[in-house]
Amino acid sequence: MKVVPAIFKLDTIDPADSVEFCPHPAASNVVVCGTYKLQQADPECSVDIQDVQEEPFSVGQKRTGKCLAFEVANGDQLNQIQEISLPAVPDMKWCHRDVSVNPVLGIADSEGNVSLYEMKIDDSLRIAPSHVLCLSLDWSNRRTPSSGLGSLVVSLSDGSLALLVPGQSGLSPEHIWHAHDFEPWIAAWNYWDINIIYSGGDDLKMKAWDIRSGFTQPVFTNKRFDAGVTTIQSHPFVEHLLAVGSYDNTVRLFDARKPLTPLTQVDVGGGAWRVKWHPSKKRKDDLLVACMHNGCKVIHFNLTGNGLAEGGEVIQHFDKHKSMAYGADWSYTEENTNQETLVASCSFYDHVLYTWRA
């Protein structure tokens, strides 16, 4: 396993928990970082929130955040180009759109809002009361960029999922339903069949939902996890393949047709908070993982021609984060033949954003 050096380090001032590179060809040099600051209820109190609150995503506290936008300069340096003040930002996702239209960023915040930002146009949509956190979000059109918006699924801290669909006036909630008994940390689309939504939660369950069948019962429920399910991503180049991460330090690959038994699994040495498949088909076997207390890692899987996985191993480890690494993403910029891909990652209590290559 190769230990990867840092290229660039930046202090985000406030705790950082989400990183997303823009997939739009005209803006692939743009990366955004979300921050999440827990405010002390008593300004006279001198206790560090880290000492009393290990888990930053619990409810009942005041939270503030920002979306920090950067431009990649000189190949791997970051220059800040914009700062947007918001409630705390648990998750962000770019909508994959046609080259003829501007890129759009969706932001989930800690006061029940989903905000959309398109160049000089921005919009905010309340889908839950202000005490409910929007924990994660995912766009349906990852594999089919278009001039419009895809549908959006959002997970909420009260155990619900929300389906937002595009219309003439933008996105609007079509259905909100109870999905998990505890926080659903992740909601994600099946990019190959956008009738199917996956969710994972602190109730140790992964579920699937068919939007054509109503939302009273999931298509399946996988209860075979030893800790909360934190992250799910459908493979953009391999049909039926899902990467799933958990607090139990394990990344599992599933065949969506047989979702109760993993094809293979890899111990990453820390809670797997985010998984990201490489955006290039040439590197479809590589998965980036934000491993909370154990930095960030790249897993190389041996994917067969029919999309099955015969095993995987950690090939690279970025260990510079001294706090919980929550955010990580690959750049969409095509590199030279032998050049590794630019990666950005961030961590919480030390409020640091790094760039490195993997």
Side-chain angles (χ1 to χ4, degrees):
M1 178 177 63
K2 176 184 176 182
V3 177
V4 184
I7 296 174
F8 181 78
K9 178 181 179 181
L10 183 144
D11 187 348
T12 59
I13 309 301
D14 293 333
D17 65 348
S18 178
V19 173
E20 296 287 328
F21 272 98
C22 183
H24 196 284
S28 60
N29 64 332
V30 174
V31 59
V32 290
C33 178
T35 69
Y36 188 119
K37 186 176 182 180
L38 292 163
Q39 302 289 343
Q40 294 178 10
D42 182 2
E44 301 296 324
C45 177
S46 61
V47 178
D48 190 332
I49 195 67
Q50 181 178 0
D51 297 332
V52 297
Q53 183 63 48
E54 176 70 4
E55 175 54 68
F57 298 104
S58 63
V59 299
Q61 292 177 294
K62 175 67 175 177
R63 307 165 190 81
T64 59
K66 295 177 181 178
C67 173
L68 307 175
F70 301 91
E71 191 174 57
V72 179
N74 301 320
D76 43 35
Q77 310 294 302
L78 299 180
N79 293 330
Q80 186 169 337
I81 56 176
Q82 191 172 3
E83 177 179 304
I84 303 170
S85 294
L86 296 158
V89 180
D91 197 19
M92 302 182 290
K93 291 289 191 309
W94 292 96
C95 181
H96 288 246
R97 307 187 79 194
D98 188 80
V99 295
S100 63
V101 292
N102 294 327
V104 168
L105 177 68
I107 301 177
D109 74 36
S110 63
E111 294 184 0
N113 302 298
V114 170
S115 299
L116 305 181
Y117 290 89
E118 176 188 6
M119 304 301 281
K120 295 182 180 179
I121 304 172
D122 61 85
D123 189 19
S124 184
L125 179 66
R126 178 169 294 282
I127 59 174
S130 60
H131 67 275
V132 175
L133 287 71
C134 293
L135 294 172
S136 74
L137 74 173
D138 195 27
W139 295 96
S140 64
N141 59 341
R142 168 69 185 264
R143 296 188 61 253
T144 55
S146 63
S147 59
L149 296 173
S151 295
L152 196 65
V153 62
V154 184
S155 66
L156 304 171
S157 62
D158 64 359
S160 301
L161 301 183
L163 172 61
L164 283 62
V165 297
Q168 290 185 346
S169 59
L171 290 177
S172 60
E174 182 174 86
H175 204 89
I176 299 176
W177 70 101
H178 183 77
H180 291 265
D181 294 331
F182 297 97
E183 290 91 341
W185 297 122
I186 190 70
W189 290 94
N190 181 330
Y191 296 141
W192 297 80
D193 180 0
I194 56 173
N195 293 304
I196 303 298
I197 292 168
Y198 301 108
S199 61
D202 225 30
D203 53 5
L204 285 64
K205 297 174 184 177
M206 177 175 69
K207 300 183 180 184
W209 310 87
D210 190 325
I211 65 175
R212 298 165 297 186
S213 304
F215 302 95
T216 56
Q217 293 290 333
V219 176
F220 72 78
T221 300
N222 185 334
K223 304 177 183 179
R224 302 174 183 178
F225 291 89
D226 297 324
V229 178
T230 50
T231 180
I232 302 170
Q233 191 176 58
S234 171
H235 202 303
F237 303 115
V238 181
E239 190 174 5
H240 307 305
L241 193 60
L242 303 174
V244 181
S246 169
Y247 280 133
D248 64 8
N249 299 354
T250 304
V251 170
R252 298 169 174 85
L253 296 192
F254 289 91
D255 183 329
R257 297 163 296 184
K258 301 177 181 179
L260 301 185
T261 304
L263 298 167
T264 188
Q265 60 187 50
V266 177
D267 187 334
V268 294
W273 186 255
R274 283 291 177 266
V275 291
K276 301 283 184 69
W277 289 108
H278 197 285
S280 171
K281 189 174 184 178
K282 293 181 293 186
R283 292 186 59 185
K284 67 181 187 300
D285 296 52
D286 291 343
L287 183 75
L288 176 65
V289 187
C291 304
M292 296 180 68
H293 293 93
N294 201 22
C296 297
K297 295 183 178 181
V298 176
I299 305 174
H300 182 79
F301 290 101
N302 298 313
L303 303 183
T304 63
N306 59 3
L308 299 180
E310 296 180 340
E313 64 173 335
V314 176
I315 59 171
Q316 292 177 309
H317 182 198
F318 183 75
D319 64 357
K320 303 305 179 186
H321 291 291
K322 304 307 179 186
S323 176
M324 288 186 287
Y326 280 126
D329 200 15
W330 306 95
S331 170
Y332 287 80
T333 301
E334 290 287 339
E335 304 291 357
N336 297 328
T337 304
N338 297 319
Q339 190 173 20
E340 293 184 311
T341 302
L342 185 68
V343 175
S345 59
C346 65
S347 46
F348 198 77
Y349 292 117
D350 57 354
H351 41 84
V352 172
L353 174 65
Y354 282 103
T355 60
W356 42 287
R357 289 190 176 271

